[in-house]
Amino acid sequence: MSQAGASSAPGHSLTFSDDLRRIADSVNACLDDLLPLPDGPEQRVVEAMRYSALDGGKRLRPYLSIASADLFDVPRVQALRTGAAVEMVHCYSLIHDDLPAMDNGDLRRGRPTCHKAFDEATAILAGDALLTQAFAVLSADATHPDGDTRVKIIAALADAAGAAGMVGGQMLDLMAEQSDLGEEDVERLQALKTGRLLAAPCRIGGLLGQADADALESLDSYGYCLGAAFQITDDLLDLEATESDLGKATGKDAAAGKATFVSLHGPERARDRAKTLVDQAVAALSRFGDAAEPLRSAAAFTVSRRS
Ligand code: GRG
């Protein structure tokens, strides 16, 4: 059990949504602490960072970091800080993805996007500063007492977020508008763009707990399958959910003529594929026994979610 005790551990007795909400409250408090408002006119950029990082969002990535770290009895404060750092990177990607040069979105998490609420230049800076702040948080002693472990965690997040991960996936996504992608190309694009930042907190939870190579490999497999199931569900929601369910515009993939598993094979096969991936994610956790129940619930949630 973590230092914070049973009351805030991902648990077996609550429904997953209750559990996720409770963890989200702790993550929000941690982000609030990690993003204090400075004095002076530069306060504006921190206001924009707080606007995009503090309100809304399911906090699934921090949940994954906490539930993975709990497998190894990692102190809760460490898991929370790594979860908050991954969430900062996620929020930066959403701010930049919404910019006019990318998706040109007006609505995110049910509110005006960062560049609409502030202005484009401030939104770019807020994204940049959230990305940078994430690594500052990871580098601090409070994240883990062992420097080598902190470096491994920093490397894992940098690799997942950069050109070999999320940014590379976003580049492929932009180029895909001018080309016909097949199933393998779509799978690779989605693994990079979305999957890497969902798999990273699982690995990071293991790194916090000094997990051995086999355990890390199991967490990587789980994270990979969960990320793929999450993205297929995102594509299904883009087709089937309403703007008010999602808090952002829908129907964008079809309008842009984007290839997704759904556009290539239709919603029924996409749903089946997502369920198979959840089964594979769950199978990857067998070595962890009952302790991995929160991660199993998270995998099921990725395909049953409505937002
Ligand atoms: C611009 C560097 C850069 C990267 C952009 C992640 C990404 C790449 C773009 C986000 C756009 C998008 C809708 C991607 C699909 C999958 C995804 C990341 C959905 C949003 O994640 P959720 O559902 O969002 O976890 P919340 O709001 O709950 O945190």
Side-chain angles (χ1 to χ4, degrees):
M1 188 55 60
S2 70
Q3 279 183 350
S7 65
S8 59
H12 300 210
S13 53
L14 295 168
T15 66
F16 180 77
S17 312
D18 291 337
D19 204 10
L20 184 60
R21 206 167 307 122
R22 224 163 39 131
I23 294 292
D25 289 343
S26 309
V27 173
N28 293 343
C30 183
L31 285 166
D32 190 22
D33 275 356
L34 294 171
L35 295 170
L37 265 186
D39 289 328
E42 71 274 26
Q43 197 178 77
R44 180 171 167 82
V45 72
V46 183
E47 277 166 359
M49 293 161 78
R50 291 175 62 87
Y51 176 84
S52 291
L54 288 187
D55 285 317
K58 295 180 286 297
R59 310 309 195 191
L60 182 59
R61 292 155 192 79
Y63 185 96
L64 293 170
S65 126
I66 290 166
S68 301
D70 277 359
L71 296 173
F72 308 96
D73 295 330
V74 170
R76 177 55 54 92
V77 64
Q78 296 177 10
L80 259 177
R81 288 175 64 89
T82 58
V86 177
E87 186 69 17
M88 284 181 194
V89 174
H90 171 56
C91 293
Y92 125 74
S93 80
L94 299 180
I95 295 174
H96 282 198
D97 188 62
D98 289 333
L99 287 168
M102 302 250 183
D103 243 15
N104 198 16
D106 293 345
L107 198 64
R108 172 68 66 184
R109 293 174 168 172
R111 301 194 305 166
T113 47
C114 191
H115 67 277
K116 289 279 167 191
F118 291 82
D119 59 77
E120 212 178 312
T122 305
I124 292 171
L125 291 177
D128 291 343
L130 279 169
L131 174 64
T132 320
Q133 181 66 6
F135 290 99
V137 169
L138 294 182
S139 70
D141 284 354
T143 298
H144 198 283
D146 175 49
D148 284 350
T149 301
R150 294 201 298 276
V151 169
K152 284 182 190 158
I153 290 169
I154 287 167
L157 185 57
D159 192 44
M166 181 179 69
V167 168
Q170 180 73 353
M171 187 76 247
L172 293 176
D173 200 35
L174 293 174
M175 292 165 67
E177 288 171 18
Q178 274 90 48
S179 56
D180 286 334
L181 299 190
E183 184 173 333
E184 266 183 35
D185 304 315
V186 168
E187 200 174 306
R188 175 157 184 268
L189 184 164
Q190 298 194 334
L192 295 180
K193 181 180 149 181
T194 315
R196 292 295 309 275
L197 207 63
L198 283 156
C202 308
R203 183 177 187 83
I204 288 171
L207 289 171
L208 281 173
Q210 320 277 7
D212 63 26
D214 288 345
L216 287 176
E217 199 181 310
S218 299
L219 288 167
D220 286 344
S221 302
Y222 165 82
Y224 180 86
C225 295
L226 175 132
F230 182 96
Q231 183 58 58
I232 291 175
T233 306
D234 215 69
D235 297 335
L236 283 164
L237 290 171
D238 185 64
L239 180 75
E240 295 171 346
T242 64
E243 185 170 297
S244 78
D245 285 338
L246 296 191
K248 62 179 181 183
T250 54
K252 288 186 298 179
D253 294 344
K258 265 191 196 168
T260 65
F261 198 93
V262 179
S263 73
L264 292 177
H265 300 297
E268 281 322 306
R269 272 194 62 193
R271 249 182 283 283
D272 288 347
R273 174 77 185 135
K275 281 186 195 137
T276 303
L277 284 161
V278 167
D279 291 344
Q280 289 171 352
V282 167
L285 298 171
S286 59
R287 67 170 52 245
F288 301 117
D290 285 351
E293 210 48 50
L295 289 175
R296 292 188 188 95
S297 303
F301 168 79
T302 58
V303 295
S304 64
R305 70 199 170 93
R306 302 307 307 154
S307 70

